[in-house]
Amino acid sequence: MPCRPFSSQVSQPAWLVSLLFASLVLGCTPLVPPPVSSSPLPAPAIVQPDSPFHLPLAGTAILPNQQTLTFARVEQDSRCPSDVTCVWTGQAEVIVTLSQPGQPAQDLLLIQRPGDEAAAARSVNGLTVKLLDLIPYPTTGPSSPADYTVTLLITQP
């Protein structure tokens, strides 16, 4: 049997079915990505050294010397839920991002661990950033990462 080109081996009805199937799949695929969150980000808070302040997740604070501090994310929250009895109290780790014009941003890992005050603070660019609290405190019920708020304290040595 002689070889024929591929196009002559595919029957016209099979080609037409393939084209219709591809059109159907492409026609059902959304061309516009789904909207991100419609809730606006909170306005940056202006903070002064030695005064505790709260930042919601993705919130930004304006610090002295044109620096900004953003609550980037909760890296870990293994604190024992309030409605459970645990052997270990657990810990929480948050990332805050310190930015200054003309400088690369710096991620700071702050750890809330009972009995370890040093893990809760980081010194950089002439400031010390200290994690005082992370709320809400976990329970066994459902929670959302968007509910997190940190309480921070900025000091200048």
Side-chain angles (χ1 to χ4, degrees):
M1 175 173 200
C3 290
R4 292 186 227 158
F6 178 73
S7 61
S8 66
Q9 290 179 347
V10 177
S11 66
Q12 191 170 7
W15 179 82
L16 185 58
V17 169
S18 297
L19 178 63
L20 289 173
F21 179 74
S23 298
L24 178 65
V25 169
L26 291 175
C28 293
T29 305
L31 298 177
V32 179
V36 183
S37 174
S38 61
S39 60
L41 289 177
I46 299 172
V47 299
Q48 297 299 320
D50 303 317
S51 295
F53 62 96
H54 307 286
L55 272 183
L57 189 62
T60 298
I62 300 172
L63 310 176
N65 302 328
Q66 298 180 346
Q67 296 179 22
T68 60
L69 188 69
T70 303
F71 177 16
R73 66 185 176 276
V74 176
E75 194 73 6
Q76 168 186 245
D77 190 354
S78 64
R79 297 174 294 173
C80 180
S82 60
D83 50 352
V84 174
T85 301
C86 299
V87 176
W88 186 57
T89 57
Q91 67 182 28
E93 298 178 2
V94 301
I95 301 289
V96 294
T97 303
L98 185 65
S99 303
Q100 183 173 334
Q103 302 278 336
Q106 297 179 356
D107 285 344
L108 308 176
L109 174 65
L110 305 174
I111 303 172
Q112 184 182 44
R113 182 184 307 135
D116 189 358
E117 293 293 316
R122 294 289 176 261
S123 295
V124 63
N125 294 348
L127 297 174
T128 299
V129 181
K130 183 175 183 180
L131 174 64
L132 299 178
D133 198 10
L134 174 66
I135 56 172
Y137 198 85
T139 64
T140 54
S143 65
S144 168
D147 294 337
Y148 280 115
T149 298
V150 291
T151 303
L152 301 170
L153 178 67
I154 304 294
T155 57
Q156 292 179 310

